[in-house]
Amino acid sequence: MSWVRIGIALDYSGGFHDAVERVVELEKAGIDAAVVAEAYAFDAVSQLGYLAAKTNTVELASGVFPLFIRTPSLLAMTAAGLDFVSDGRFRLGIGTSGPQVIEGFHGVEFDAPLGRTREVVEICRQVWRRERVQHAGKHYQIPLPADRGTGLGKPLQLINHPVRERIPITIAALGPKNVELTAEIAEGWQPVFFHPERAASVWGGALAAGSARRDPALGPLDVVVHASLAIGDDVGDRLARVKPQLALYIGGMGAKGRNFYHRLATRYGFGEVADRIQQLYLSGRKQEAIDLVPEELVRGISLVGPRGYVAERLAAFAAAGVTTLLLSPLAADRDEYVRFVKEALALRPA
């Protein structure tokens, strides 16, 4: 069983300044990472820059930048800039997001996520090596071919010298092909709703197939998992706070047949109830959908219960291959939030 890094996931819905103060306090306690999400709230770049100025040792990461809404070169420039202002502490987290955000909020077509992911990674690494960027892929052409532009575009290289020529990349991936690609080309993999006892049956084959083609220079795959946290003898009721997000994702993040999270719940063995949650959510009966979220699923992906139980669940995550655990405390106030994370640090497996 390997050592599990402990980090915290910052919520994009609000309270950012208070969240930063907690990161600063928990950095002194020994957390390893702080991850800023990006959806359709404030951008994560400005907040990560602010965090870089307020912290000294904790790794900072995007969790995740949707790759459709930035050019590959801009993603590389942003990552290099954040790595610079944080003195080499940044990890680039990318993902495709989904049609609801990409098409509904940004007005960009959601197409070819697998091919675009591979090409984005290739271009980013080329930029960081300060090579003149030249890429003739199916989805990105740099420079733009003369027959598609003015003919004036010439290969350019990054002006600045990055702190590192290989900034670690973590890819958020769910589907088998995406997970296989991630295990092949990325330093890290970020799944969602990770259930230690069921994860291998869902992703094991894809991880093995991708790892077989993995460049040894990438090192072992960092498996970055998010989990809600509450430690105590009387915190069982906090699990109810996890259900609305699960209902939203399983039921509302996509139409029937185009919901990645519904597919995951189905592969976990909750297909019948996932269908019902989706039916209720899409018909506007959200509370009924929330009430149907299985307790077994909520408990399986969370760290909620007495100290001994949470220690057992931390060991289960580690045994399932998790190497970085991002915590979201289900706390009543700031003091309890900090206490929960400190207790988790003390309980993690050695």
mmCIF file with all atom_site columns, all heavy atoms in Angstrom, residues 227-232 234-240 242 298-299 301-307 309-310 313 317 328 330:
data_model
loop_
_atom_site.group_PDB
_atom_site.id
_atom_site.type_symbol
_atom_site.label_atom_id
_atom_site.label_alt_id
_atom_site.label_comp_id
_atom_site.label_asym_id
_atom_site.label_entity_id
_atom_site.label_seq_id
_atom_site.pdbx_PDB_ins_code
_atom_site.Cartn_x
_atom_site.Cartn_y
_atom_site.Cartn_z
_atom_site.occupancy
_atom_site.B_iso_or_equiv
_atom_site.pdbx_formal_charge
_atom_site.auth_seq_id
_atom_site.auth_comp_id
_atom_site.auth_asym_id
_atom_site.auth_atom_id
_atom_site.pdbx_PDB_model_num
ATOM 1   N N   . ALA A 1 227 ? -13.132 13.143 -2.875 1.00 0.00 ? 227 ALA A N   1
ATOM 2   C CA  . ALA A 1 227 ? -14.041 12.506 -1.928 1.00 0.00 ? 227 ALA A CA  1
ATOM 3   C C   . ALA A 1 227 ? -14.530 13.518 -0.902 1.00 0.00 ? 227 ALA A C   1
ATOM 4   O O   . ALA A 1 227 ? -13.754 14.351 -0.422 1.00 0.00 ? 227 ALA A O   1
ATOM 5   C CB  . ALA A 1 227 ? -13.344 11.344 -1.215 1.00 0.00 ? 227 ALA A CB  1
ATOM 6   N N   . SER A 1 228 ? -15.804 13.437 -0.571 1.00 0.00 ? 228 SER A N   1
ATOM 7   C CA  . SER A 1 228 ? -16.356 14.251 0.514  1.00 0.00 ? 228 SER A CA  1
ATOM 8   C C   . SER A 1 228 ? -15.889 13.686 1.845  1.00 0.00 ? 228 SER A C   1
ATOM 9   O O   . SER A 1 228 ? -15.677 12.472 1.977  1.00 0.00 ? 228 SER A O   1
ATOM 10  C CB  . SER A 1 228 ? -17.884 14.258 0.442  1.00 0.00 ? 228 SER A CB  1
ATOM 11  O OG  . SER A 1 228 ? -18.321 14.853 -0.756 1.00 0.00 ? 228 SER A OG  1
ATOM 12  N N   . LEU A 1 229 ? -15.758 14.550 2.850  1.00 0.00 ? 229 LEU A N   1
ATOM 13  C CA  . LEU A 1 229 ? -15.148 14.153 4.118  1.00 0.00 ? 229 LEU A CA  1
ATOM 14  C C   . LEU A 1 229 ? -15.914 14.704 5.307  1.00 0.00 ? 229 LEU A C   1
ATOM 15  O O   . LEU A 1 229 ? -16.280 15.885 5.346  1.00 0.00 ? 229 LEU A O   1
ATOM 16  C CB  . LEU A 1 229 ? -13.706 14.679 4.173  1.00 0.00 ? 229 LEU A CB  1
ATOM 17  C CG  . LEU A 1 229 ? -12.968 14.542 5.507  1.00 0.00 ? 229 LEU A CG  1
ATOM 18  C CD1 . LEU A 1 229 ? -12.605 13.082 5.765  1.00 0.00 ? 229 LEU A CD1 1
ATOM 19  C CD2 . LEU A 1 229 ? -11.707 15.416 5.525  1.00 0.00 ? 229 LEU A CD2 1
ATOM 20  N N   . ALA A 1 230 ? -16.161 13.847 6.277  1.00 0.00 ? 230 ALA A N   1
ATOM 21  C CA  . ALA A 1 230 ? -16.661 14.265 7.596  1.00 0.00 ? 230 ALA A CA  1
ATOM 22  C C   . ALA A 1 230 ? -16.288 13.171 8.577  1.00 0.00 ? 230 ALA A C   1
ATOM 23  O O   . ALA A 1 230 ? -16.532 11.985 8.318  1.00 0.00 ? 230 ALA A O   1
ATOM 24  C CB  . ALA A 1 230 ? -18.175 14.474 7.577  1.00 0.00 ? 230 ALA A CB  1
ATOM 25  N N   . ILE A 1 231 ? -15.662 13.541 9.682  1.00 0.00 ? 231 ILE A N   1
ATOM 26  C CA  . ILE A 1 231 ? -15.169 12.562 10.646 1.00 0.00 ? 231 ILE A CA  1
ATOM 27  C C   . ILE A 1 231 ? -15.827 12.802 12.007 1.00 0.00 ? 231 ILE A C   1
ATOM 28  O O   . ILE A 1 231 ? -15.741 13.894 12.571 1.00 0.00 ? 231 ILE A O   1
ATOM 29  C CB  . ILE A 1 231 ? -13.641 12.650 10.785 1.00 0.00 ? 231 ILE A CB  1
ATOM 30  C CG1 . ILE A 1 231 ? -12.959 12.454 9.425  1.00 0.00 ? 231 ILE A CG1 1
ATOM 31  C CG2 . ILE A 1 231 ? -13.127 11.608 11.775 1.00 0.00 ? 231 ILE A CG2 1
ATOM 32  C CD1 . ILE A 1 231 ? -11.456 12.656 9.448  1.00 0.00 ? 231 ILE A CD1 1
ATOM 33  N N   . GLY A 1 232 ? -16.469 11.762 12.534 1.00 0.00 ? 232 GLY A N   1
ATOM 34  C CA  . GLY A 1 232 ? -17.111 11.867 13.833 1.00 0.00 ? 232 GLY A CA  1
ATOM 35  C C   . GLY A 1 232 ? -18.138 10.773 14.032 1.00 0.00 ? 232 GLY A C   1
ATOM 36  O O   . GLY A 1 232 ? -18.510 10.062 13.095 1.00 0.00 ? 232 GLY A O   1
ATOM 37  N N   . ASP A 1 234 ? -21.216 11.277 14.860 1.00 0.00 ? 234 ASP A N   1
ATOM 38  C CA  . ASP A 1 234 ? -22.573 11.758 14.585 1.00 0.00 ? 234 ASP A CA  1
ATOM 39  C C   . ASP A 1 234 ? -22.640 12.568 13.293 1.00 0.00 ? 234 ASP A C   1
ATOM 40  O O   . ASP A 1 234 ? -23.337 13.586 13.218 1.00 0.00 ? 234 ASP A O   1
ATOM 41  C CB  . ASP A 1 234 ? -23.068 12.610 15.755 1.00 0.00 ? 234 ASP A CB  1
ATOM 42  C CG  . ASP A 1 234 ? -22.143 13.788 16.055 1.00 0.00 ? 234 ASP A CG  1
ATOM 43  O OD1 . ASP A 1 234 ? -21.041 13.835 15.456 1.00 0.00 ? 234 ASP A OD1 1
ATOM 44  O OD2 . ASP A 1 234 ? -22.525 14.647 16.871 1.00 0.00 ? 234 ASP A OD2 1
ATOM 45  N N   . VAL A 1 235 ? -21.909 12.131 12.264 1.00 0.00 ? 235 VAL A N   1
ATOM 46  C CA  . VAL A 1 235 ? -21.854 12.891 11.015 1.00 0.00 ? 235 VAL A CA  1
ATOM 47  C C   . VAL A 1 235 ? -22.551 12.176 9.858  1.00 0.00 ? 235 VAL A C   1
ATOM 48  O O   . VAL A 1 235 ? -22.465 12.615 8.708  1.00 0.00 ? 235 VAL A O   1
ATOM 49  C CB  . VAL A 1 235 ? -20.389 13.199 10.619 1.00 0.00 ? 235 VAL A CB  1
ATOM 50  C CG1 . VAL A 1 235 ? -19.730 14.116 11.632 1.00 0.00 ? 235 VAL A CG1 1
ATOM 51  C CG2 . VAL A 1 235 ? -19.591 11.909 10.428 1.00 0.00 ? 235 VAL A CG2 1
ATOM 52  N N   . GLY A 1 236 ? -23.247 11.087 10.155 1.00 0.00 ? 236 GLY A N   1
ATOM 53  C CA  . GLY A 1 236 ? -23.891 10.324 9.093  1.00 0.00 ? 236 GLY A CA  1
ATOM 54  C C   . GLY A 1 236 ? -24.867 11.134 8.272  1.00 0.00 ? 236 GLY A C   1
ATOM 55  O O   . GLY A 1 236 ? -25.033 10.892 7.070  1.00 0.00 ? 236 GLY A O   1
ATOM 56  N N   . ASP A 1 237 ? -25.505 12.125 8.924  1.00 0.00 ? 237 ASP A N   1
ATOM 57  C CA  . ASP A 1 237 ? -26.480 12.940 8.197  1.00 0.00 ? 237 ASP A CA  1
ATOM 58  C C   . ASP A 1 237 ? -25.815 13.813 7.126  1.00 0.00 ? 237 ASP A C   1
ATOM 59  O O   . ASP A 1 237 ? -26.497 14.299 6.216  1.00 0.00 ? 237 ASP A O   1
ATOM 60  C CB  . ASP A 1 237 ? -27.250 13.831 9.173  1.00 0.00 ? 237 ASP A CB  1
ATOM 61  C CG  . ASP A 1 237 ? -26.345 14.788 9.942  1.00 0.00 ? 237 ASP A CG  1
ATOM 62  O OD1 . ASP A 1 237 ? -25.227 14.394 10.304 1.00 0.00 ? 237 ASP A OD1 1
ATOM 63  O OD2 . ASP A 1 237 ? -26.766 15.946 10.164 1.00 0.00 ? 237 ASP A OD2 1
ATOM 64  N N   . ARG A 1 238 ? -24.479 13.990 7.203  1.00 0.00 ? 238 ARG A N   1
ATOM 65  C CA  . ARG A 1 238 ? -23.792 14.820 6.207  1.00 0.00 ? 238 ARG A CA  1
ATOM 66  C C   . ARG A 1 238 ? -23.826 14.178 4.813  1.00 0.00 ? 238 ARG A C   1
ATOM 67  O O   . ARG A 1 238 ? -23.651 14.854 3.812  1.00 0.00 ? 238 ARG A O   1
ATOM 68  C CB  . ARG A 1 238 ? -22.333 15.048 6.616  1.00 0.00 ? 238 ARG A CB  1
ATOM 69  C CG  . ARG A 1 238 ? -22.113 15.508 8.052  1.00 0.00 ? 238 ARG A CG  1
ATOM 70  C CD  . ARG A 1 238 ? -22.462 16.959 8.271  1.00 0.00 ? 238 ARG A CD  1
ATOM 71  N NE  . ARG A 1 238 ? -22.321 17.307 9.673  1.00 0.00 ? 238 ARG A NE  1
ATOM 72  C CZ  . ARG A 1 238 ? -21.247 17.897 10.210 1.00 0.00 ? 238 ARG A CZ  1
ATOM 73  N NH1 . ARG A 1 238 ? -20.209 18.188 9.442  1.00 0.00 ? 238 ARG A NH1 1
ATOM 74  N NH2 . ARG A 1 238 ? -21.211 18.193 11.496 1.00 0.00 ? 238 ARG A NH2 1
ATOM 75  N N   . LEU A 1 239 ? -24.023 12.864 4.762  1.00 0.00 ? 239 LEU A N   1
ATOM 76  C CA  . LEU A 1 239 ? -24.075 12.191 3.468  1.00 0.00 ? 239 LEU A CA  1
ATOM 77  C C   . LEU A 1 239 ? -25.182 12.736 2.580  1.00 0.00 ? 239 LEU A C   1
ATOM 78  O O   . LEU A 1 239 ? -25.084 12.694 1.355  1.00 0.00 ? 239 LEU A O   1
ATOM 79  C CB  . LEU A 1 239 ? -24.268 10.681 3.672  1.00 0.00 ? 239 LEU A CB  1
ATOM 80  C CG  . LEU A 1 239 ? -23.056 9.906  4.189  1.00 0.00 ? 239 LEU A CG  1
ATOM 81  C CD1 . LEU A 1 239 ? -23.463 8.517  4.645  1.00 0.00 ? 239 LEU A CD1 1
ATOM 82  C CD2 . LEU A 1 239 ? -21.984 9.815  3.112  1.00 0.00 ? 239 LEU A CD2 1
ATOM 83  N N   . ALA A 1 240 ? -26.214 13.277 3.205  1.00 0.00 ? 240 ALA A N   1
ATOM 84  C CA  . ALA A 1 240 ? -27.318 13.836 2.420  1.00 0.00 ? 240 ALA A CA  1
ATOM 85  C C   . ALA A 1 240 ? -26.843 14.995 1.545  1.00 0.00 ? 240 ALA A C   1
ATOM 86  O O   . ALA A 1 240 ? -27.448 15.283 0.505  1.00 0.00 ? 240 ALA A O   1
ATOM 87  C CB  . ALA A 1 240 ? -28.439 14.297 3.352  1.00 0.00 ? 240 ALA A CB  1
ATOM 88  N N   . VAL A 1 242 ? -24.214 15.053 -0.222 1.00 0.00 ? 242 VAL A N   1
ATOM 89  C CA  . VAL A 1 242 ? -23.575 14.534 -1.424 1.00 0.00 ? 242 VAL A CA  1
ATOM 90  C C   . VAL A 1 242 ? -24.604 14.205 -2.497 1.00 0.00 ? 242 VAL A C   1
ATOM 91  O O   . VAL A 1 242 ? -24.324 14.264 -3.697 1.00 0.00 ? 242 VAL A O   1
ATOM 92  C CB  . VAL A 1 242 ? -22.739 13.282 -1.084 1.00 0.00 ? 242 VAL A CB  1
ATOM 93  C CG1 . VAL A 1 242 ? -22.026 12.734 -2.310 1.00 0.00 ? 242 VAL A CG1 1
ATOM 94  C CG2 . VAL A 1 242 ? -21.714 13.617 0.018  1.00 0.00 ? 242 VAL A CG2 1
ATOM 95  N N   . VAL A 1 298 ? -23.378 6.618  -2.346 1.00 0.00 ? 298 VAL A N   1
ATOM 96  C CA  . VAL A 1 298 ? -22.903 7.803  -1.627 1.00 0.00 ? 298 VAL A CA  1
ATOM 97  C C   . VAL A 1 298 ? -21.811 7.422  -0.636 1.00 0.00 ? 298 VAL A C   1
ATOM 98  O O   . VAL A 1 298 ? -20.756 8.056  -0.558 1.00 0.00 ? 298 VAL A O   1
ATOM 99  C CB  . VAL A 1 298 ? -24.072 8.510  -0.904 1.00 0.00 ? 298 VAL A CB  1
ATOM 100 C CG1 . VAL A 1 298 ? -23.556 9.718  -0.124 1.00 0.00 ? 298 VAL A CG1 1
ATOM 101 C CG2 . VAL A 1 298 ? -25.133 8.949  -1.900 1.00 0.00 ? 298 VAL A CG2 1
ATOM 102 N N   . ARG A 1 299 ? -22.049 6.376  0.138  1.00 0.00 ? 299 ARG A N   1
ATOM 103 C CA  . ARG A 1 299 ? -21.059 5.940  1.129  1.00 0.00 ? 299 ARG A CA  1
ATOM 104 C C   . ARG A 1 299 ? -19.786 5.446  0.460  1.00 0.00 ? 299 ARG A C   1
ATOM 105 O O   . ARG A 1 299 ? -18.680 5.686  0.936  1.00 0.00 ? 299 ARG A O   1
ATOM 106 C CB  . ARG A 1 299 ? -21.643 4.830  2.006  1.00 0.00 ? 299 ARG A CB  1
ATOM 107 C CG  . ARG A 1 299 ? -22.644 5.317  3.035  1.00 0.00 ? 299 ARG A CG  1
ATOM 108 C CD  . ARG A 1 299 ? -22.971 4.261  4.060  1.00 0.00 ? 299 ARG A CD  1
ATOM 109 N NE  . ARG A 1 299 ? -23.898 4.780  5.067  1.00 0.00 ? 299 ARG A NE  1
ATOM 110 C CZ  . ARG A 1 299 ? -23.526 5.502  6.114  1.00 0.00 ? 299 ARG A CZ  1
ATOM 111 N NH1 . ARG A 1 299 ? -22.234 5.762  6.310  1.00 0.00 ? 299 ARG A NH1 1
ATOM 112 N NH2 . ARG A 1 299 ? -24.418 5.953  6.974  1.00 0.00 ? 299 ARG A NH2 1
ATOM 113 N N   . ILE A 1 301 ? -18.265 6.357  -2.247 1.00 0.00 ? 301 ILE A N   1
ATOM 114 C CA  . ILE A 1 301 ? -17.374 7.361  -2.832 1.00 0.00 ? 301 ILE A CA  1
ATOM 115 C C   . ILE A 1 301 ? -16.979 8.447  -1.841 1.00 0.00 ? 301 ILE A C   1
ATOM 116 O O   . ILE A 1 301 ? -16.291 9.395  -2.206 1.00 0.00 ? 301 ILE A O   1
ATOM 117 C CB  . ILE A 1 301 ? -18.025 8.011  -4.075 1.00 0.00 ? 301 ILE A CB  1
ATOM 118 C CG1 . ILE A 1 301 ? -19.265 8.827  -3.686 1.00 0.00 ? 301 ILE A CG1 1
ATOM 119 C CG2 . ILE A 1 301 ? -18.384 6.959  -5.114 1.00 0.00 ? 301 ILE A CG2 1
ATOM 120 C CD1 . ILE A 1 301 ? -19.844 9.651  -4.819 1.00 0.00 ? 301 ILE A CD1 1
ATOM 121 N N   . SER A 1 302 ? -17.394 8.289  -0.578 1.00 0.00 ? 302 SER A N   1
ATOM 122 C CA  . SER A 1 302 ? -17.169 9.332  0.427  1.00 0.00 ? 302 SER A CA  1
ATOM 123 C C   . SER A 1 302 ? -16.339 8.814  1.601  1.00 0.00 ? 302 SER A C   1
ATOM 124 O O   . SER A 1 302 ? -16.123 7.608  1.750  1.00 0.00 ? 302 SER A O   1
ATOM 125 C CB  . SER A 1 302 ? -18.514 9.855  0.955  1.00 0.00 ? 302 SER A CB  1
ATOM 126 O OG  . SER A 1 302 ? -19.331 10.329 -0.091 1.00 0.00 ? 302 SER A OG  1
ATOM 127 N N   . LEU A 1 303 ? -15.900 9.752  2.423  1.00 0.00 ? 303 LEU A N   1
ATOM 128 C CA  . LEU A 1 303 ? -15.175 9.451  3.656  1.00 0.00 ? 303 LEU A CA  1
ATOM 129 C C   . LEU A 1 303 ? -15.960 10.093 4.798  1.00 0.00 ? 303 LEU A C   1
ATOM 130 O O   . LEU A 1 303 ? -15.618 11.164 5.293  1.00 0.00 ? 303 LEU A O   1
ATOM 131 C CB  . LEU A 1 303 ? -13.759 10.026 3.594  1.00 0.00 ? 303 LEU A CB  1
ATOM 132 C CG  . LEU A 1 303 ? -12.832 9.431  2.526  1.00 0.00 ? 303 LEU A CG  1
ATOM 133 C CD1 . LEU A 1 303 ? -11.632 10.335 2.293  1.00 0.00 ? 303 LEU A CD1 1
ATOM 134 C CD2 . LEU A 1 303 ? -12.382 8.030  2.929  1.00 0.00 ? 303 LEU A CD2 1
ATOM 135 N N   . VAL A 1 304 ? -17.015 9.448  5.204  1.00 0.00 ? 304 VAL A N   1
ATOM 136 C CA  . VAL A 1 304 ? -17.919 10.019 6.200  1.00 0.00 ? 304 VAL A CA  1
ATOM 137 C C   . VAL A 1 304 ? -18.216 8.972  7.263  1.00 0.00 ? 304 VAL A C   1
ATOM 138 O O   . VAL A 1 304 ? -18.744 7.894  6.955  1.00 0.00 ? 304 VAL A O   1
ATOM 139 C CB  . VAL A 1 304 ? -19.241 10.499 5.555  1.00 0.00 ? 304 VAL A CB  1
ATOM 140 C CG1 . VAL A 1 304 ? -20.202 11.005 6.629  1.00 0.00 ? 304 VAL A CG1 1
ATOM 141 C CG2 . VAL A 1 304 ? -18.962 11.600 4.528  1.00 0.00 ? 304 VAL A CG2 1
ATOM 142 N N   . GLY A 1 305 ? -17.855 9.282  8.514  1.00 0.00 ? 305 GLY A N   1
ATOM 143 C CA  . GLY A 1 305 ? -18.126 8.357  9.601  1.00 0.00 ? 305 GLY A CA  1
ATOM 144 C C   . GLY A 1 305 ? -17.128 8.531  10.733 1.00 0.00 ? 305 GLY A C   1
ATOM 145 O O   . GLY A 1 305 ? -16.310 9.463  10.737 1.00 0.00 ? 305 GLY A O   1
ATOM 146 N N   . PRO A 1 306 ? -17.138 7.623  11.712 1.00 0.00 ? 306 PRO A N   1
ATOM 147 C CA  . PRO A 1 306 ? -16.183 7.693  12.832 1.00 0.00 ? 306 PRO A CA  1
ATOM 148 C C   . PRO A 1 306 ? -14.747 7.544  12.357 1.00 0.00 ? 306 PRO A C   1
ATOM 149 O O   . PRO A 1 306 ? -14.480 7.063  11.247 1.00 0.00 ? 306 PRO A O   1
ATOM 150 C CB  . PRO A 1 306 ? -16.606 6.507  13.712 1.00 0.00 ? 306 PRO A CB  1
ATOM 151 C CG  . PRO A 1 306 ? -18.010 6.203  13.328 1.00 0.00 ? 306 PRO A CG  1
ATOM 152 C CD  . PRO A 1 306 ? -18.112 6.528  11.873 1.00 0.00 ? 306 PRO A CD  1
ATOM 153 N N   . ARG A 1 307 ? -13.795 7.901  13.198 1.00 0.00 ? 307 ARG A N   1
ATOM 154 C CA  . ARG A 1 307 ? -12.381 7.888  12.820 1.00 0.00 ? 307 ARG A CA  1
ATOM 155 C C   . ARG A 1 307 ? -11.931 6.521  12.300 1.00 0.00 ? 307 ARG A C   1
ATOM 156 O O   . ARG A 1 307 ? -11.247 6.424  11.280 1.00 0.00 ? 307 ARG A O   1
ATOM 157 C CB  . ARG A 1 307 ? -11.511 8.284  14.031 1.00 0.00 ? 307 ARG A CB  1
ATOM 158 C CG  . ARG A 1 307 ? -11.543 9.756  14.364 1.00 0.00 ? 307 ARG A CG  1
ATOM 159 C CD  . ARG A 1 307 ? -10.697 10.030 15.606 1.00 0.00 ? 307 ARG A CD  1
ATOM 160 N NE  . ARG A 1 307 ? -9.308  9.627  15.440 1.00 0.00 ? 307 ARG A NE  1
ATOM 161 C CZ  . ARG A 1 307 ? -8.342  10.397 14.958 1.00 0.00 ? 307 ARG A CZ  1
ATOM 162 N NH1 . ARG A 1 307 ? -8.619  11.630 14.583 1.00 0.00 ? 307 ARG A NH1 1
ATOM 163 N NH2 . ARG A 1 307 ? -7.099  9.959  14.867 1.00 0.00 ? 307 ARG A NH2 1
ATOM 164 N N   . TYR A 1 309 ? -13.678 4.138  10.968 1.00 0.00 ? 309 TYR A N   1
ATOM 165 C CA  . TYR A 1 309 ? -14.284 3.840  9.672  1.00 0.00 ? 309 TYR A CA  1
ATOM 166 C C   . TYR A 1 309 ? -13.594 4.631  8.563  1.00 0.00 ? 309 TYR A C   1
ATOM 167 O O   . TYR A 1 309 ? -13.293 4.089  7.489  1.00 0.00 ? 309 TYR A O   1
ATOM 168 C CB  . TYR A 1 309 ? -15.774 4.180  9.713  1.00 0.00 ? 309 TYR A CB  1
ATOM 169 C CG  . TYR A 1 309 ? -16.462 4.033  8.373  1.00 0.00 ? 309 TYR A CG  1
ATOM 170 C CD1 . TYR A 1 309 ? -16.836 2.787  7.892  1.00 0.00 ? 309 TYR A CD1 1
ATOM 171 C CD2 . TYR A 1 309 ? -16.733 5.154  7.592  1.00 0.00 ? 309 TYR A CD2 1
ATOM 172 C CE1 . TYR A 1 309 ? -17.451 2.646  6.656  1.00 0.00 ? 309 TYR A CE1 1
ATOM 173 C CE2 . TYR A 1 309 ? -17.353 5.039  6.353  1.00 0.00 ? 309 TYR A CE2 1
ATOM 174 C CZ  . TYR A 1 309 ? -17.710 3.772  5.895  1.00 0.00 ? 309 TYR A CZ  1
ATOM 175 O OH  . TYR A 1 309 ? -18.323 3.646  4.672  1.00 0.00 ? 309 TYR A OH  1
ATOM 176 N N   . VAL A 1 310 ? -13.337 5.908  8.797  1.00 0.00 ? 310 VAL A N   1
ATOM 177 C CA  . VAL A 1 310 ? -12.673 6.731  7.787  1.00 0.00 ? 310 VAL A CA  1
ATOM 178 C C   . VAL A 1 310 ? -11.267 6.209  7.508  1.00 0.00 ? 310 VAL A C   1
ATOM 179 O O   . VAL A 1 310 ? -10.813 6.184  6.359  1.00 0.00 ? 310 VAL A O   1
ATOM 180 C CB  . VAL A 1 310 ? -12.641 8.213  8.225  1.00 0.00 ? 310 VAL A CB  1
ATOM 181 C CG1 . VAL A 1 310 ? -11.761 9.040  7.298  1.00 0.00 ? 310 VAL A CG1 1
ATOM 182 C CG2 . VAL A 1 310 ? -14.064 8.778  8.251  1.00 0.00 ? 310 VAL A CG2 1
ATOM 183 N N   . ARG A 1 313 ? -11.656 3.380  5.177  1.00 0.00 ? 313 ARG A N   1
ATOM 184 C CA  . ARG A 1 313 ? -11.985 3.823  3.820  1.00 0.00 ? 313 ARG A CA  1
ATOM 185 C C   . ARG A 1 313 ? -10.762 4.447  3.145  1.00 0.00 ? 313 ARG A C   1
ATOM 186 O O   . ARG A 1 313 ? -10.552 4.265  1.942  1.00 0.00 ? 313 ARG A O   1
ATOM 187 C CB  . ARG A 1 313 ? -13.140 4.831  3.847  1.00 0.00 ? 313 ARG A CB  1
ATOM 188 C CG  . ARG A 1 313 ? -14.462 4.273  4.322  1.00 0.00 ? 313 ARG A CG  1
ATOM 189 C CD  . ARG A 1 313 ? -14.837 3.005  3.574  1.00 0.00 ? 313 ARG A CD  1
ATOM 190 N NE  . ARG A 1 313 ? -15.070 3.258  2.143  1.00 0.00 ? 313 ARG A NE  1
ATOM 191 C CZ  . ARG A 1 313 ? -15.035 2.320  1.212  1.00 0.00 ? 313 ARG A CZ  1
ATOM 192 N NH1 . ARG A 1 313 ? -14.739 1.077  1.524  1.00 0.00 ? 313 ARG A NH1 1
ATOM 193 N NH2 . ARG A 1 313 ? -15.252 2.643  -0.057 1.00 0.00 ? 313 ARG A NH2 1
ATOM 194 N N   . PHE A 1 317 ? -9.214  3.210  -0.449 1.00 0.00 ? 317 PHE A N   1
ATOM 195 C CA  . PHE A 1 317 ? -8.865  4.056  -1.594 1.00 0.00 ? 317 PHE A CA  1
ATOM 196 C C   . PHE A 1 317 ? -7.419  3.790  -2.012 1.00 0.00 ? 317 PHE A C   1
ATOM 197 O O   . PHE A 1 317 ? -7.112  3.675  -3.203 1.00 0.00 ? 317 PHE A O   1
ATOM 198 C CB  . PHE A 1 317 ? -9.072  5.530  -1.251 1.00 0.00 ? 317 PHE A CB  1
ATOM 199 C CG  . PHE A 1 317 ? -10.489 6.014  -1.426 1.00 0.00 ? 317 PHE A CG  1
ATOM 200 C CD1 . PHE A 1 317 ? -11.394 5.965  -0.381 1.00 0.00 ? 317 PHE A CD1 1
ATOM 201 C CD2 . PHE A 1 317 ? -10.917 6.526  -2.644 1.00 0.00 ? 317 PHE A CD2 1
ATOM 202 C CE1 . PHE A 1 317 ? -12.704 6.406  -0.535 1.00 0.00 ? 317 PHE A CE1 1
ATOM 203 C CE2 . PHE A 1 317 ? -12.209 6.973  -2.814 1.00 0.00 ? 317 PHE A CE2 1
ATOM 204 C CZ  . PHE A 1 317 ? -13.118 6.914  -1.758 1.00 0.00 ? 317 PHE A CZ  1
ATOM 205 N N   . SER A 1 328 ? -13.210 17.263 0.115  1.00 0.00 ? 328 SER A N   1
ATOM 206 C CA  . SER A 1 328 ? -14.206 18.339 0.234  1.00 0.00 ? 328 SER A CA  1
ATOM 207 C C   . SER A 1 328 ? -14.928 18.139 1.559  1.00 0.00 ? 328 SER A C   1
ATOM 208 O O   . SER A 1 328 ? -15.881 17.348 1.639  1.00 0.00 ? 328 SER A O   1
ATOM 209 C CB  . SER A 1 328 ? -15.200 18.305 -0.927 1.00 0.00 ? 328 SER A CB  1
ATOM 210 O OG  . SER A 1 328 ? -14.616 18.744 -2.114 1.00 0.00 ? 328 SER A OG  1
ATOM 211 N N   . LEU A 1 330 ? -17.403 18.206 4.504  1.00 0.00 ? 330 LEU A N   1
ATOM 212 C CA  . LEU A 1 330 ? -18.812 18.537 4.707  1.00 0.00 ? 330 LEU A CA  1
ATOM 213 C C   . LEU A 1 330 ? -18.923 19.135 6.108  1.00 0.00 ? 330 LEU A C   1
ATOM 214 O O   . LEU A 1 330 ? -19.411 18.506 7.049  1.00 0.00 ? 330 LEU A O   1
ATOM 215 C CB  . LEU A 1 330 ? -19.666 17.274 4.570  1.00 0.00 ? 330 LEU A CB  1
ATOM 216 C CG  . LEU A 1 330 ? -19.520 16.509 3.248  1.00 0.00 ? 330 LEU A CG  1
ATOM 217 C CD1 . LEU A 1 330 ? -20.222 15.155 3.322  1.00 0.00 ? 330 LEU A CD1 1
ATOM 218 C CD2 . LEU A 1 330 ? -20.079 17.335 2.094  1.00 0.00 ? 330 LEU A CD2 1
#
